[in-house]
PDB file of all heavy atoms in Angstrom:
ATOM      1  N   VAL D  74     -24.200 -66.523  16.715  1.00 98.00           N
ATOM      2  CA  VAL D  74     -23.032 -66.976  17.475  1.00 98.00           C
ATOM      3  C   VAL D  74     -21.974 -65.874  17.502  1.00 98.00           C
ATOM      4  O   VAL D  74     -21.388 -65.629  18.556  1.00 98.00           O
ATOM      5  CB  VAL D  74     -22.435 -68.263  16.842  1.00 98.00           C
ATOM      6  CG1 VAL D  74     -21.138 -68.667  17.564  1.00 98.00           C
ATOM      7  CG2 VAL D  74     -23.480 -69.402  16.895  1.00 98.00           C
ATOM      8  N   LYS D  75     -21.747 -65.233  16.345  1.00 98.00           N
ATOM      9  CA  LYS D  75     -20.705 -64.229  16.241  1.00 98.00           C
ATOM     10  C   LYS D  75     -21.049 -63.215  15.150  1.00 98.00           C
ATOM     11  O   LYS D  75     -21.661 -63.570  14.130  1.00 98.00           O
ATOM     12  CB  LYS D  75     -19.349 -64.853  15.875  1.00 98.00           C
ATOM     13  CG  LYS D  75     -18.238 -63.845  15.804  1.00 98.00           C
ATOM     14  CD  LYS D  75     -16.952 -64.482  15.321  1.00 98.00           C
ATOM     15  CE  LYS D  75     -15.810 -63.503  15.349  1.00 98.00           C
ATOM     16  NZ  LYS D  75     -15.908 -62.429  14.388  1.00 98.00           N
ATOM     17  N   THR D  76     -20.713 -61.981  15.362  1.00 98.00           N
ATOM     18  CA  THR D  76     -20.832 -60.958  14.377  1.00 98.00           C
ATOM     19  C   THR D  76     -19.478 -60.314  14.117  1.00 98.00           C
ATOM     20  O   THR D  76     -18.582 -60.333  15.025  1.00 98.00           O
ATOM     21  CB  THR D  76     -21.827 -59.859  14.809  1.00 98.00           C
ATOM     22  OG1 THR D  76     -21.326 -59.150  15.874  1.00 98.00           O
ATOM     23  CG2 THR D  76     -23.189 -60.422  15.076  1.00 98.00           C
ATOM     24  N   THR D  77     -19.319 -59.746  12.967  1.00 98.00           N
ATOM     25  CA  THR D  77     -18.152 -58.913  12.692  1.00 98.00           C
ATOM     26  C   THR D  77     -18.707 -57.589  12.139  1.00 98.00           C
ATOM     27  O   THR D  77     -19.481 -57.582  11.261  1.00 98.00           O
ATOM     28  CB  THR D  77     -17.232 -59.556  11.621  1.00 98.00           C
ATOM     29  OG1 THR D  77     -16.831 -60.850  12.117  1.00 98.00           O
ATOM     30  CG2 THR D  77     -15.938 -58.726  11.442  1.00 98.00           C
ATOM     31  N   VAL D  78     -18.234 -56.527  12.790  1.00 98.00           N
ATOM     32  CA  VAL D  78     -18.668 -55.159  12.419  1.00 98.00           C
ATOM     33  C   VAL D  78     -17.439 -54.491  11.808  1.00 98.00           C
ATOM     34  O   VAL D  78     -16.381 -54.406  12.412  1.00 98.00           O
ATOM     35  CB  VAL D  78     -19.162 -54.378  13.654  1.00 98.00           C
ATOM     36  CG1 VAL D  78     -19.554 -52.967  13.233  1.00 98.00           C
ATOM     37  CG2 VAL D  78     -20.268 -55.089  14.334  1.00 98.00           C
ATOM     38  N   PHE D  79     -17.642 -54.048  10.564  1.00 98.00           N
ATOM     39  CA  PHE D  79     -16.561 -53.300   9.840  1.00 98.00           C
ATOM     40  C   PHE D  79     -17.004 -51.830   9.877  1.00 98.00           C
ATOM     41  O   PHE D  79     -18.068 -51.457   9.423  1.00 98.00           O
ATOM     42  CB  PHE D  79     -16.476 -53.780   8.408  1.00 98.00           C
ATOM     43  CG  PHE D  79     -16.185 -55.287   8.307  1.00 98.00           C
ATOM     44  CD1 PHE D  79     -17.208 -56.203   8.095  1.00 98.00           C
ATOM     45  CD2 PHE D  79     -14.877 -55.700   8.394  1.00 98.00           C
ATOM     46  CE1 PHE D  79     -16.912 -57.561   7.989  1.00 98.00           C
ATOM     47  CE2 PHE D  79     -14.595 -57.093   8.285  1.00 98.00           C
ATOM     48  CZ  PHE D  79     -15.628 -57.968   8.084  1.00 98.00           C
ATOM     49  N   LEU D  80     -16.123 -51.013  10.440  1.00 98.00           N
ATOM     50  CA  LEU D  80     -16.420 -49.565  10.570  1.00 98.00           C
ATOM     51  C   LEU D  80     -15.456 -48.740   9.705  1.00 98.00           C
ATOM     52  O   LEU D  80     -14.262 -49.038   9.699  1.00 98.00           O
ATOM     53  CB  LEU D  80     -16.259 -49.115  12.032  1.00 98.00           C
ATOM     54  CG  LEU D  80     -17.274 -49.689  13.015  1.00 98.00           C
ATOM     55  CD1 LEU D  80     -16.773 -49.496  14.456  1.00 98.00           C
ATOM     56  CD2 LEU D  80     -18.587 -48.958  12.806  1.00 98.00           C
ATOM     57  N   LYS D  81     -15.990 -47.759   9.094  1.00 98.00           N
ATOM     58  CA  LYS D  81     -15.103 -46.809   8.342  1.00 98.00           C
ATOM     59  C   LYS D  81     -14.318 -45.956   9.312  1.00 98.00           C
ATOM     60  O   LYS D  81     -13.165 -45.576   8.997  1.00 98.00           O
ATOM     61  CB  LYS D  81     -16.006 -45.945   7.417  1.00 98.00           C
ATOM     62  CG  LYS D  81     -15.197 -45.013   6.524  1.00 98.00           C
ATOM     63  CD  LYS D  81     -16.119 -44.285   5.581  1.00 98.00           C
ATOM     64  CE  LYS D  81     -15.368 -43.457   4.638  1.00 98.00           C
ATOM     65  NZ  LYS D  81     -16.222 -42.777   3.670  1.00 98.00           N
ATOM     66  N   ASP D  82     -14.899 -45.656  10.509  1.00 98.00           N
ATOM     67  CA  ASP D  82     -14.237 -44.782  11.477  1.00 98.00           C
ATOM     68  C   ASP D  82     -14.490 -45.310  12.866  1.00 98.00           C
ATOM     69  O   ASP D  82     -15.620 -45.296  13.368  1.00 98.00           O
ATOM     70  CB  ASP D  82     -14.780 -43.357  11.319  1.00 98.00           C
ATOM     71  CG  ASP D  82     -14.135 -42.368  12.273  1.00 98.00           C
ATOM     72  OD1 ASP D  82     -13.299 -42.773  13.087  1.00 98.00           O
ATOM     73  OD2 ASP D  82     -14.472 -41.188  12.152  1.00 98.00           O
ATOM     74  N   MET D  83     -13.434 -45.805  13.526  1.00 98.00           N
ATOM     75  CA  MET D  83     -13.563 -46.361  14.877  1.00 98.00           C
ATOM     76  C   MET D  83     -14.056 -45.349  15.885  1.00 98.00           C
ATOM     77  O   MET D  83     -14.569 -45.675  16.922  1.00 98.00           O
ATOM     78  CB  MET D  83     -12.235 -46.988  15.307  1.00 98.00           C
ATOM     79  CG  MET D  83     -12.388 -47.854  16.592  1.00 98.00           C
ATOM     80  SD  MET D  83     -13.556 -49.232  16.411  1.00 98.00           S
ATOM     81  CE  MET D  83     -12.576 -50.445  15.506  1.00 98.00           C
ATOM     82  N   ASN D  84     -13.947 -44.032  15.542  1.00 98.00           N
ATOM     83  CA  ASN D  84     -14.462 -42.976  16.423  1.00 98.00           C
ATOM     84  C   ASN D  84     -15.954 -43.061  16.542  1.00 98.00           C
ATOM     85  O   ASN D  84     -16.579 -42.485  17.414  1.00 98.00           O
ATOM     86  CB  ASN D  84     -14.035 -41.602  15.945  1.00 98.00           C
ATOM     87  CG  ASN D  84     -12.539 -41.384  16.144  1.00 98.00           C
ATOM     88  OD1 ASN D  84     -11.958 -41.737  17.173  1.00 98.00           O
ATOM     89  ND2 ASN D  84     -11.937 -40.821  15.128  1.00 98.00           N
ATOM     90  N   GLU D  85     -16.624 -43.814  15.641  1.00 98.00           N
ATOM     91  CA  GLU D  85     -18.070 -43.931  15.677  1.00 98.00           C
ATOM     92  C   GLU D  85     -18.501 -45.258  16.360  1.00 98.00           C
ATOM     93  O   GLU D  85     -19.665 -45.629  16.318  1.00 98.00           O
ATOM     94  CB  GLU D  85     -18.653 -43.891  14.234  1.00 98.00           C
ATOM     95  CG  GLU D  85     -18.414 -42.505  13.613  1.00 98.00           C
ATOM     96  CD  GLU D  85     -19.086 -42.357  12.304  1.00 98.00           C
ATOM     97  OE1 GLU D  85     -18.937 -43.221  11.444  1.00 98.00           O
ATOM     98  OE2 GLU D  85     -19.757 -41.304  12.111  1.00 98.00           O
ATOM     99  N   PHE D  86     -17.542 -45.932  16.985  1.00 98.00           N
ATOM    100  CA  PHE D  86     -17.865 -47.188  17.649  1.00 98.00           C
ATOM    101  C   PHE D  86     -18.962 -47.087  18.673  1.00 98.00           C
ATOM    102  O   PHE D  86     -19.864 -47.870  18.752  1.00 98.00           O
ATOM    103  CB  PHE D  86     -16.589 -47.773  18.324  1.00 98.00           C
ATOM    104  CG  PHE D  86     -16.838 -49.031  19.065  1.00 98.00           C
ATOM    105  CD1 PHE D  86     -16.813 -50.280  18.434  1.00 98.00           C
ATOM    106  CD2 PHE D  86     -17.133 -48.996  20.432  1.00 98.00           C
ATOM    107  CE1 PHE D  86     -17.085 -51.455  19.128  1.00 98.00           C
ATOM    108  CE2 PHE D  86     -17.410 -50.161  21.134  1.00 98.00           C
ATOM    109  CZ  PHE D  86     -17.344 -51.401  20.470  1.00 98.00           C
ATOM    110  N   ALA D  87     -18.895 -46.107  19.549  1.00 98.00           N
ATOM    111  CA  ALA D  87     -19.851 -45.920  20.637  1.00 98.00           C
ATOM    112  C   ALA D  87     -21.261 -45.752  20.080  1.00 98.00           C
ATOM    113  O   ALA D  87     -22.229 -46.351  20.576  1.00 98.00           O
ATOM    114  CB  ALA D  87     -19.495 -44.748  21.562  1.00 98.00           C
ATOM    115  N   ALA D  88     -21.392 -44.933  19.031  1.00 98.00           N
ATOM    116  CA  ALA D  88     -22.690 -44.722  18.444  1.00 98.00           C
ATOM    117  C   ALA D  88     -23.253 -46.007  17.761  1.00 98.00           C
ATOM    118  O   ALA D  88     -24.405 -46.362  17.922  1.00 98.00           O
ATOM    119  CB  ALA D  88     -22.618 -43.578  17.431  1.00 98.00           C
ATOM    120  N   MET D  89     -22.368 -46.723  17.054  1.00 98.00           N
ATOM    121  CA  MET D  89     -22.751 -47.967  16.488  1.00 98.00           C
ATOM    122  C   MET D  89     -23.152 -48.939  17.553  1.00 98.00           C
ATOM    123  O   MET D  89     -24.165 -49.632  17.492  1.00 98.00           O
ATOM    124  CB  MET D  89     -21.577 -48.568  15.692  1.00 98.00           C
ATOM    125  CG  MET D  89     -21.811 -49.976  15.139  1.00 98.00           C
ATOM    126  SD  MET D  89     -21.594 -51.388  16.272  1.00 98.00           S
ATOM    127  CE  MET D  89     -19.931 -51.246  16.798  1.00 98.00           C
ATOM    128  N   ASN D  90     -22.345 -49.036  18.671  1.00 98.00           N
ATOM    129  CA  ASN D  90     -22.604 -49.964  19.734  1.00 98.00           C
ATOM    130  C   ASN D  90     -23.978 -49.713  20.427  1.00 98.00           C
ATOM    131  O   ASN D  90     -24.664 -50.654  20.845  1.00 98.00           O
ATOM    132  CB  ASN D  90     -21.484 -49.878  20.764  1.00 98.00           C
ATOM    133  CG  ASN D  90     -21.412 -51.125  21.613  1.00 98.00           C
ATOM    134  OD1 ASN D  90     -21.387 -52.193  21.061  1.00 98.00           O
ATOM    135  ND2 ASN D  90     -21.285 -50.926  22.929  1.00 98.00           N
ATOM    136  N   GLY D  91     -24.385 -48.448  20.519  1.00 98.00           N
ATOM    137  CA  GLY D  91     -25.657 -48.111  21.094  1.00 98.00           C
ATOM    138  C   GLY D  91     -26.803 -48.729  20.307  1.00 98.00           C
ATOM    139  O   GLY D  91     -27.757 -49.290  20.878  1.00 98.00           O
ATOM    140  N   VAL D  92     -26.731 -48.598  18.991  1.00 98.00           N
ATOM    141  CA  VAL D  92     -27.787 -49.177  18.134  1.00 98.00           C
ATOM    142  C   VAL D  92     -27.714 -50.716  18.177  1.00 98.00           C
ATOM    143  O   VAL D  92     -28.714 -51.435  18.293  1.00 98.00           O
ATOM    144  CB  VAL D  92     -27.663 -48.668  16.685  1.00 98.00           C
ATOM    145  CG1 VAL D  92     -28.627 -49.403  15.751  1.00 98.00           C
ATOM    146  CG2 VAL D  92     -27.852 -47.175  16.646  1.00 98.00           C
ATOM    147  N   TYR D  93     -26.480 -51.259  18.125  1.00 98.00           N
ATOM    148  CA  TYR D  93     -26.302 -52.723  18.168  1.00 98.00           C
ATOM    149  C   TYR D  93     -26.905 -53.322  19.451  1.00 98.00           C
ATOM    150  O   TYR D  93     -27.561 -54.361  19.386  1.00 98.00           O
ATOM    151  CB  TYR D  93     -24.775 -52.986  18.142  1.00 98.00           C
ATOM    152  CG  TYR D  93     -24.352 -54.378  18.140  1.00 98.00           C
ATOM    153  CD1 TYR D  93     -24.027 -55.022  16.919  1.00 98.00           C
ATOM    154  CD2 TYR D  93     -24.220 -55.179  19.293  1.00 98.00           C
ATOM    155  CE1 TYR D  93     -23.587 -56.329  16.867  1.00 98.00           C
ATOM    156  CE2 TYR D  93     -23.778 -56.498  19.247  1.00 98.00           C
ATOM    157  CZ  TYR D  93     -23.462 -57.058  18.054  1.00 98.00           C
ATOM    158  OH  TYR D  93     -23.065 -58.368  18.011  1.00 98.00           O
ATOM    159  N   ALA D  94     -26.819 -52.603  20.538  1.00 98.00           N
ATOM    160  CA  ALA D  94     -27.391 -53.067  21.827  1.00 98.00           C
ATOM    161  C   ALA D  94     -28.926 -53.103  21.775  1.00 98.00           C
ATOM    162  O   ALA D  94     -29.558 -53.823  22.565  1.00 98.00           O
ATOM    163  CB  ALA D  94     -26.916 -52.156  23.005  1.00 98.00           C
TER     164      ALA D  94
END
Side-chain angles (χ1 to χ4, degrees):
V74 176
K75 182 185 184 294
T76 65
T77 304
V78 178
F79 301 96
L80 292 164
K81 185 174 182 179
D82 182 355
M83 193 57 80
N84 291 318
E85 295 186 312
F86 177 86
M89 174 282 298
N90 201 49
V92 174
Y93 184 96

